[in-house]
Amino acid sequence: MKLTVLGCLGAYPYQGQGTTGFLLQSEGFNLLIDAGSTTLVELEKYVDPLMLDAVILSHYHHDHIADLGVLQYQWQLSPKRDQTKQLSIYGHGRDQAHFQALTLAEVSQGYDYLAQPVLDLGPFTITFMETIHPVVCYAMRIEEKATNRVLVFTGDSGYLEEFTTFAKDADLFLADTYLFKGNEHHHAHFTAPEAGEFAKKANVAKLVLTHLPQFGDLNELKQQAQVEAGVIPVELAAVGKVFTIGGN
């Protein structure tokens, strides 16, 4: 499977880069993970948004859903759209106001991924874990059925020991890393050392830092994570960066 970074900043876009959004592809299936600001423009560089098979959302903070409404408008108004097809959007049902907005008549259909313990979605199986965040948010463990390769996306989260088991042996650990060393046990986000700590404890193959800050030296952020991660390779997410997970 292939992961393309569409946006990787936290909170707000900055100097031409947008907030959280990723395109995950396998066997011709196109899955948009979160839909932060400017991610729709980036998505168009890789795949026609009308060719998306599904969207999945970690939570409903604006920096993760800012482009969702305009994506729905594109599906509604584009003359190229197949009118027999609706966009499937997966989110949690614990915030009914936002969840109901996932459905737009004859355009998109919202589905509550908490309705079953495991979500079977195209070439993927996905399990969820609630994180520590000011609003209800879920991390995702995404396994490619054909290869058993695993991507774990933390969503947004403060320090949560359960990531040691939730991310166990993941091939790629995509971790919210908005904070530098010295802000440990924050109520909403990992620090760089915490991201490295969980990567090492979970024995992941690669750690990718995302939800990056607009301030400070990102190379220092990476180095702080690397110190705790040990021999596990650490990379910074960047718009346009592609990660191949396994052989597909």
Side-chain angles (χ1 to χ4, degrees):
M1 55 183 164
K2 182 171 70 173
L3 182 77
T4 303
V5 181
L6 306 176
C8 56
L9 294 181
Y12 57 93
Y14 183 69
Q15 295 185 346
Q17 293 194 62
T19 59
T20 302
F22 304 94
L23 174 63
L24 184 63
Q25 297 172 293
S26 175
E27 301 177 8
F29 191 93
N30 299 307
L31 175 62
L32 179 62
I33 303 173
D34 282 351
S37 52
T38 80
T39 57
L40 185 56
V41 172
E42 292 299 323
L43 176 65
E44 291 175 329
K45 297 177 181 178
Y46 304 98
V47 64
D48 186 335
L50 299 177
M51 297 303 293
L52 284 173
D53 293 284
V55 179
I56 194 165
L57 305 171
S58 60
H59 65 300
Y60 302 120
H61 267 157
H62 294 303
D63 53 333
H64 293 255
I65 63 166
D67 273 14
L68 185 64
V70 289
L71 175 60
Q72 289 173 303
Y73 287 163
Q74 184 170 4
W75 273 66
Q76 182 181 45
L77 300 173
S78 173
K80 298 189 302 178
R81 177 196 159 206
D82 179 354
Q83 297 295 321
T84 67
K85 182 180 178 182
Q86 292 191 28
L87 179 62
S88 298
I89 306 177
Y90 293 84
H92 68 74
R94 293 178 60 191
D95 177 340
Q96 278 296 304
H98 281 101
F99 178 74
Q100 294 299 327
L102 305 185
T103 297
L104 181 61
E106 300 182 0
V107 175
S108 62
Q109 180 63 52
Y111 297 95
D112 186 353
Y113 53 60
L114 300 179
Q116 59 279 309
V118 178
L119 175 63
D120 190 328
L121 183 59
F124 309 116
T125 56
I126 308 176
T127 53
F128 303 90
M129 180 181 72
E130 187 174 358
T131 71
I132 294 175
H133 203 56
V135 300
V136 177
C137 178
Y138 285 88
M140 309 173 195
R141 183 181 177 95
I142 304 173
E143 181 172 345
E144 187 179 39
K145 297 174 189 175
T147 66
N148 297 319
R149 297 288 185 174
V150 173
L151 162 68
V152 171
F153 172 45
T154 64
D156 285 2
S157 185
Y159 187 93
L160 182 60
E161 187 62 41
E162 285 82 354
F163 275 109
T164 299
T165 53
F166 189 73
K168 187 68 175 174
D169 297 326
D171 296 281
L172 194 151
F173 183 45
L174 187 59
D176 164 14
T177 312
Y178 195 59
L179 300 171
F180 288 85
K181 182 178 180 180
N183 295 283
E184 282 67 37
H185 290 260
H186 190 266
H187 69 280
H189 303 291
F190 286 179
T191 63
E194 288 170 342
E197 173 191 337
F198 284 127
K200 184 175 183 179
K201 285 182 176 179
N203 190 40
V204 305
K206 178 178 289 187
L207 169 62
V208 176
L209 309 182
T210 188
H211 204 279
L212 300 171
Q214 295 82 359
F215 46 86
D217 183 346
L218 294 184
N219 288 322
E220 181 182 355
L221 190 82
K222 176 183 174 183
Q223 184 57 36
Q224 288 178 358
Q226 189 69 73
V227 168
E228 296 300 325
V231 300
I232 294 168
V234 178
E235 293 191 38
L236 293 168
V239 173
K241 204 167 194 177
V242 176
F243 297 93
T244 300
I245 307 168
N248 290 0

